[in-house]
Amino acid sequence: MKEAAGGSGARVGAIHDLGYKRYVGTRRPQSTRWQVITRHQLASAWKTWWRYKMWLAVAVIITIVIGAIMVVSKSESLGDLRKAGVIVRLVDGLVFGSVQFYAWVGFLVSLTVGAGVIAGDIKTGAFTFYFARPVRTIDYVLGKLAGLFLVQAFVILLPMLALTLVRLGLSQDTDELVGNLQYLPKTILVGGLGALAYASASLGFSALLNNPRQTVALWAALYLIGGSIVTLISEVTKTPWIGAMDISLALQSLALRIFDVDALGRSAVAASIPTALLSLAIWIGFGVAASFFRIQQTGHEGIGGVS
């Protein structure tokens, strides 16, 4: 403190900000900001038992049960699984047929983890946290989608890969092992597309409304009721492409066609590979487009000066 000029006796003071310190930490490049959002999404999904851990445990149990059946039944044959007169063993049918079980687990995960993501961020005001920083719309959407894909991959893709590895281990000789290696890329395609489709669809529905409960209810109603309707119409009218509008049936059709076997006569009602791929692509495209558009419109609301 010192006296003011002119001898008035008044004292003036200067305040110095001694707490300021220049940031010297790691500066993340813009292209990697989505990874932070992905890690946050994974941490959020892992927080409570019912949200994700329970469904992961269900997927593990399904894998153990099917794997045990494959080991016990390795010498059994399923008479209705034939291709060009060659009987396909039960273990082969279980590899591609497992997708219908994991699809249900994927749907349940999409309800508890994915279908309320964006609506939840809107409700809690999390956009202020995200977009007060230099985070772009594409960073947010990519980060959320990557996180949802990973949680789905652990209940769809990885269990199917585990069953495929069991099938390889049950090969009688080297020639059979080499022939069965074709299962690996097919499993990765079916399981990967399934995980991405459920992740994208649930993310897209989470962007349609502001209330997470409403988005979850909307997704559940469309999947369960809408899926049942298209399945019934497809079977009654013998038009497989209608059934392929359902994600689960599209995955089952793709698995049936790509593994090139006739499972219990299901080939007659299974969509073609292009049709199944188109259906899954539409679901993925819808999810990405809906979430991107919503974030573009509302992501920066209430954050002054941020563009």
Side-chain angles (χ1 to χ4, degrees), residues 7-236:
S8 62
R11 293 179 177 273
V12 296
I15 299 175
H16 301 280
D17 184 4
L18 300 180
Y20 170 78
K21 183 179 180 181
R22 181 176 177 272
Y23 178 73
V24 294
T26 303
R27 297 182 182 273
R28 293 183 176 275
Q30 183 75 56
S31 59
T32 63
R33 307 254 166 104
W34 64 271
Q35 297 174 10
V36 178
I37 299 175
T38 297
R39 287 197 294 270
H40 179 268
Q41 179 61 48
L42 293 174
S44 177
W46 193 253
K47 278 183 179 179
T48 58
W49 170 258
W50 63 269
R51 184 176 298 175
Y52 182 63
K53 295 177 184 177
M54 179 171 61
W55 308 128
L56 181 61
V58 170
V60 171
I61 293 173
I62 292 174
T63 305
I64 293 174
V65 171
I66 295 179
I69 294 174
M70 291 171 63
V71 172
V72 173
S73 307
K74 65 179 181 179
S75 61
E76 298 291 332
S77 297
L78 191 60
D80 291 316
L81 289 176
R82 295 182 176 91
K83 177 62 180 176
V86 178
I87 296 178
V88 180
R89 289 188 302 186
L90 174 61
V91 287
D92 296 324
L94 288 173
V95 172
F96 73 82
S98 64
V99 68
Q100 61 182 311
F101 304 109
Y102 296 123
W104 270 108
V105 181
F107 165 66
L108 294 172
V109 170
S110 73
L111 285 180
T112 57
V113 177
V117 167
I118 295 179
D121 283 348
I122 293 175
K123 185 176 181 179
T124 60
F127 285 164
T128 302
F129 168 79
Y130 285 118
F131 297 108
R133 294 158 175 78
V135 174
R136 303 166 298 181
T137 300
I138 187 63
D139 297 327
Y140 177 90
V141 174
L142 181 59
K144 291 292 185 181
L145 183 60
L148 293 178
F149 171 78
L150 287 176
V151 298
Q152 291 287 2
F154 274 92
V155 298
I156 299 178
L157 174 58
L158 292 187
M160 291 187 66
L161 276 175
L163 292 180
T164 302
L165 293 177
V166 172
R167 177 63 188 96
L168 294 179
L170 294 176
S171 300
Q172 299 280 345
D173 49 44
T174 304
D175 291 337
E176 184 181 353
L177 174 62
V178 172
N180 289 336
L181 287 176
Q182 62 173 320
Y183 283 4
L184 283 174
K186 293 178 179 180
T187 300
I188 292 173
L189 176 63
V190 175
L193 284 177
L196 184 57
Y198 279 107
S200 301
S202 60
L203 183 65
F205 270 83
S206 75
L208 297 182
L209 301 170
N210 293 339
N211 190 309
R213 291 186 178 181
Q214 293 176 355
T215 57
V216 170
L218 181 62
W219 167 235
L222 179 70
Y223 187 90
L224 296 175
I225 300 176
S228 299
I229 292 175
V230 298
T231 300
L232 179 61
I233 294 175
S234 175
E235 293 182 352
V236 171

